[in-house]
């Protein structure tokens, strides 16, 4: 009496000369052999009708089509310092968070940097029809020094050549303690 979207179940009847129909083909379709396919979440009544010289008889079975899981979209910062935390969120409630490489720890969307590098944080939503996941690459920086330094109008940070597809030179008339460059692709 249940099926997942894009999946099928087979219904049978002991009388072999009937025909199958669905009360709502946009929700669930049924083929001539009783194979019911879920289309969208909802409920449809599947009927098996037999017609002979004595009249018409029908048997019905309500079938609930369950939705596929959707993980949604992760939002929040994509970088964290070692020992610091950021908070990620997802548009779909009820999922679980995990990280793949152990460069970060994650609990309830709170991501804490452990080791410098790039880790993947996953958000997984599971229901009766399976699992779906989304992920975000998290850049873990050592963040040595005092963090981000604003450059004043009298100071310059020059990147040459610009644009480029290879090497660059960074120069400044200001004391720059740490420059971090990431490939954002």
């Amino acid at each position: 009496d249940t099926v997942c979207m894009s999946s099928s179940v087979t219904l049978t009847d002991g009388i072999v000369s009937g025909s199958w129909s669905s009360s709502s083909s946009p929700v669930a379709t049924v083929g001539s052999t009783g194979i019911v396919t879920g289309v969208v979440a909802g409920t449809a009544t599947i009927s098996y009708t037999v017609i002979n010289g004595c009249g018409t008889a029908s048997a019905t079975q309500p079938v609930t089509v369950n939705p596929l899981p959707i993980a949604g979209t992760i939002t929040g910062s994509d970088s964290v310092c070692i020992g610091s935390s950021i908070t990620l969120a997802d548009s779909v409630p009820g999922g679980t968070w995990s990280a793949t490489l152990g460069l970060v720890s994650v609990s309830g969307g709170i991501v804490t940097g452990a080791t410098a590098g790039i880790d993947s944080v996953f958000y997984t939503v599971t229901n009766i029809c399976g699992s779906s996941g989304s992920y975000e690459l998290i850049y873990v920086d050592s963040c040595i020094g005092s963090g981000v330094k604003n450059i004043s109008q009298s100071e310059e940070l020059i990147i040459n050549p610009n644009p480029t597809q290879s090497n660059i030179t960074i120069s400044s008339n200001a004391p720059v303690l740490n420059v971090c460059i990431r490939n954002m692709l």
Side-chain angles (χ1 to χ4, degrees):
D1 64 349
T2 64
V3 65
C4 293
M5 288 171 47
S6 302
S7 295
S8 299
V9 294
T10 302
L11 298 179
T12 59
D13 191 275
I15 307 298
V16 293
S17 61
S19 62
W20 294 95
S21 64
S22 172
S23 67
S24 181
S25 292
V27 173
T29 61
V30 61
S32 61
T33 59
I35 297 174
V36 178
T37 302
V39 180
V40 298
T43 300
T45 299
I46 305 301
S47 299
Y48 186 73
T49 304
V50 176
I51 301 172
N52 63 21
C54 296
T56 302
S58 293
T60 60
Q61 174 68 50
V63 174
T64 300
V65 179
N66 292 312
L68 297 173
I70 298 172
T73 303
I74 296 173
T75 58
S77 177
D78 69 348
S79 63
V80 64
C81 293
I82 294 173
S84 295
S85 297
I86 59 172
T87 300
L88 299 179
D90 193 273
S91 57
V92 176
T96 58
W97 294 92
S98 62
T100 56
L101 301 177
L103 302 180
V104 298
S105 63
V106 61
S107 176
I110 298 172
V111 178
T112 304
T115 304
I118 302 171
D119 206 340
S120 296
V121 171
F122 286 88
Y123 184 75
T124 305
V125 175
T126 302
N127 70 14
I128 193 168
C129 294
S131 295
S132 174
S134 58
Y135 75 96
E136 181 75 26
L137 292 178
I138 302 297
Y139 300 88
V140 184
D141 293 327
S142 58
C143 301
I144 298 171
S146 61
V148 176
K149 178 188 182 301
N150 292 326
I151 296 175
S152 70
Q153 270 187 312
S154 63
E155 299 172 324
E156 290 182 308
L157 183 62
I158 303 163
I159 301 174
N160 283 310
N162 185 8
T164 186
Q165 293 183 3
S166 61
N167 297 331
I168 62 171
T169 302
I170 299 174
S171 59
S172 175
N173 65 352
V176 177
L177 298 175
N178 190 18
V179 175
C180 179
I181 299 174
R182 293 188 203 122
N183 179 355
M184 297 305 286
L185 298 176

